[in-house]
Every structure is written in C-alpha cells, then in structure tokens.
Amino acid sequence: MMRIDIATLFPEMCEAVLCESIIGRAREAGLLEVHCHNIRDYTQDKHRRVDDTPYGGGMGMVMQADPIFRCYEAVCSQLPQKPHTIYLSPQGKVLTQQMAVHYSKEPYLFLLCGHYEGVDERVLEEIVDEEISIGDYVLTGGELPALVFVDTVGRLCQGVLADESCFMEESHFHGLLEYPQYSRPAVWHGKEVPEVLLSGHHANIARWRREQSLLRTGQKRPDLLERAELTEQDRAFLAKKQEKTR
Ligand code: SAM
C-alpha cells in the first residue's frame, strides 16, 4: 500500500477534499494512506511563525527552512525508508499521466506545499528529490496542486478503482483521448446512441471505440496523435478518413 505525507500550512483544506469520493473510500478501505501535517506544528518560534521577509528585499513572505525540515524529519522517523520527496512548484516538470503511473508504484511519497512567495531554497536543496508543477500558471499555494497529484496518482493504486481497465482505456493512458461515452436512455432529445454500442458485438465495439479515440485525438489534440503509438490498422483507418475528407 502506498503512503503519502503532505506537509502544508493548510491541512484542513487538504483533508476536506481527501476524505471525499473515491480517494476518501480508498483511505477508509486501507488501500491508500494519506497524512496531512501542519508545518506550523514544527516551528520552534514562540509566536508559531513559519515565514519571514525575503533576504535582499522584495514583496511577500518566504516559508522558512527549519519548520519544514523538522516536519520532514518527523515523517521520516515513522517510515522504514526515505520517502520520495516532491515540492509542488510552478518551476517543476509538468505532471502527466505517464508520470502519475510511475509515482503510483512508489511506496512512500512526501509532498511539500509552498505558500506566499515560496520556500527557502536551502531546505529544497536538502530534502527535495524533484519539483512537480500542475501547469504553467501560478497558484497561491501548493495545496491544490498536491490534491491534484494525490487524486491522479491515488486512483492508479492497486484496488482503488474496481478494475485496471477503468484507467487503461482512459484519455492519456496510451497517449490518445478516450472515445465518447453514452448511457440510458438510448434516445435523448432525438439523439440516438451509436448503433454499434447496442449490438453486443464486443469486437466491433472495441474497433469503433479505437477509431473514435483516433478521430477525436486528431480533432482535439493533434499534437498527441502525432506522438501516439499507432498500429498498422490505426494508420490505415486514418489514411482512409483523410482521403474521404479531401
Ligand atoms: N514565487 C514563486 C515563483 O515565482 O516560482 C511562486 C510561489 S506561489 C505564489 C506559492 C506556492 O504555490 C509555491 O511555492 C508552490 O508550492 C505552489 N504553486 C503555485 N503554482 C503552482 C503550480 N503551477 N504547480 C505546482 N505548485 C504551484
């Protein structure tokens, strides 16, 4: 089972999300362990301060190194090995599904959430293995990115979803976007569900879904289609489609 420790100044914000839905149920069922630690509990300052003004001047406050380091050490003392430590940061490598699959195999992850202007560089040098971003924009804190990370990685852990096929057919797993999905009723606002889906013919349904994946990836994310691993049958299908549109 994977254990994730989150170091944050806003543990309640993280808990409020992580006790809900699929991740909440996975935690209850003991499939995933997530602990939220308040960095403020580790300050030795008598006013419980965790931040100070930046050396060199400038706007805002910087999270101090020591409370973060003490929090990290307290977590390490509970674990049989050092956790893989990630600082959620707009300067990091942008999270992808492939990276999430990789992290879902780590036994211990320590996630550090920055706030304000960021974190004293020295503690990052000392404890952080890598920086991960959730996109090229800046949030007020690392809590939402950490929640995005836990949700994305947590649902890939064994037993969290009913079946591995739940995520293996999804967008991004194999570099393509997912085919369109339909549910009851068979006709809604005059729109019919594609006939093949009602046929019960599994091979035809699988082929139709693959073709739809190829088509919508080409329409919505041509950059992904260019990089995707395609079979001969996929290429033949796309070439035929292109011919028809000419
Ligand atoms: N001054 C920092 C900079 O320019 O790189 C940005 C600090 S940001 C206002 C505060 C915190 O939010 C960061 O320390 C980081 O933990 C988190 N954060 C902001 N944007 C993020 C993103 N895109 N991905 C991951 N974490 C982010």
Side-chain angles (χ1 to χ4, degrees):
M1 185 189 42
M2 168 187 266
R3 170 169 166 164
I4 303 178
D5 289 89
I6 304 177
T8 166
L9 291 176
F10 300 93
E12 293 86 3
M13 178 178 168
C14 298
E15 265 305 333
V17 173
L18 295 171
C19 66
E20 295 288 346
S21 184
I22 293 172
I23 298 298
R25 285 199 296 276
R27 290 173 76 194
E28 266 174 29
L31 297 167
L32 177 68
E33 207 177 321
V34 187
H35 301 272
C36 303
H37 307 274
N38 192 341
I39 294 168
R40 206 174 290 282
D41 292 343
Y42 296 89
T43 177
Q44 288 184 313
D45 181 89
K46 64 174 187 277
H47 304 294
R48 286 178 42 91
R49 276 188 77 156
V50 288
D51 57 355
D52 210 331
T53 52
Y55 276 121
M59 296 285 290
M61 302 296 270
V62 174
M63 285 173 68
Q64 291 167 297
D66 207 51
I68 292 171
F69 187 70
R70 290 164 56 80
C71 176
Y72 170 78
E73 289 227 295
V75 169
C76 287
S77 72
Q78 296 171 15
L79 305 179
Q81 67 184 68
K82 282 213 158 145
H84 184 73
T85 297
I86 292 171
Y87 171 45
L88 281 312
S89 157
Q91 300 181 20
K93 196 169 165 195
V94 177
L95 184 64
T96 63
Q97 188 70 17
Q98 281 67 38
M99 286 158 70
V101 170
H102 167 80
Y103 296 127
S104 70
K105 298 184 175 107
E106 287 279 351
Y108 303 105
L109 288 169
F110 182 88
L111 305 184
L112 171 61
C113 305
H115 227 90
Y116 316 119
E117 280 311 306
V119 173
D120 189 312
E121 192 66 22
R122 293 166 296 182
V123 72
L124 300 180
E125 285 165 11
E126 210 143 308
I127 69 169
V128 169
D129 295 305
E130 61 184 324
E131 300 189 10
I132 299 290
S133 165
I134 60 160
D136 290 340
Y137 40 80
V138 178
L139 293 102
T140 54
E143 287 70 21
L144 290 173
L147 293 170
V148 167
F149 183 95
V150 174
D151 195 275
T152 310
V153 171
R155 70 196 288 281
L156 299 176
C157 292
Q158 208 170 14
V160 173
L161 297 183
D163 197 295
E164 283 205 344
S165 65
C166 295
F167 55 76
M168 286 179 73
E169 287 195 0
E170 273 180 334
S171 300
H172 299 296
F173 196 86
H174 288 301
L176 294 176
L177 303 182
E178 195 183 54
Y179 47 81
Q181 299 270 20
Y182 300 88
S183 185
R184 286 191 180 84
V187 183
W188 181 81
H189 283 201
K191 293 174 197 282
E192 290 178 12
V193 169
E195 214 179 310
V196 63
L197 298 179
L198 308 174
S199 68
H201 192 302
H202 296 302
N204 285 355
I205 293 173
R207 192 62 226 159
W208 180 86
R209 286 180 164 166
R210 179 74 183 176
E211 289 172 359
Q212 290 298 313
S213 267
L214 293 165
L215 288 178
R216 55 172 43 193
T217 309
Q219 284 157 3
K220 297 184 183 186
R221 291 289 304 274
D223 58 313
L224 292 181
L225 190 61
E226 260 172 41
R227 281 181 272 146
E229 273 185 39
L230 302 182
T231 64
E232 282 304 312
Q233 203 178 5
D234 293 336
R235 287 184 198 287
F237 168 76
L238 288 170
K240 212 165 148 191
K241 276 277 160 194
Q242 248 181 355
E243 246 173 56
K244 273 192 189 162
T245 55
R246 267 197 213 124

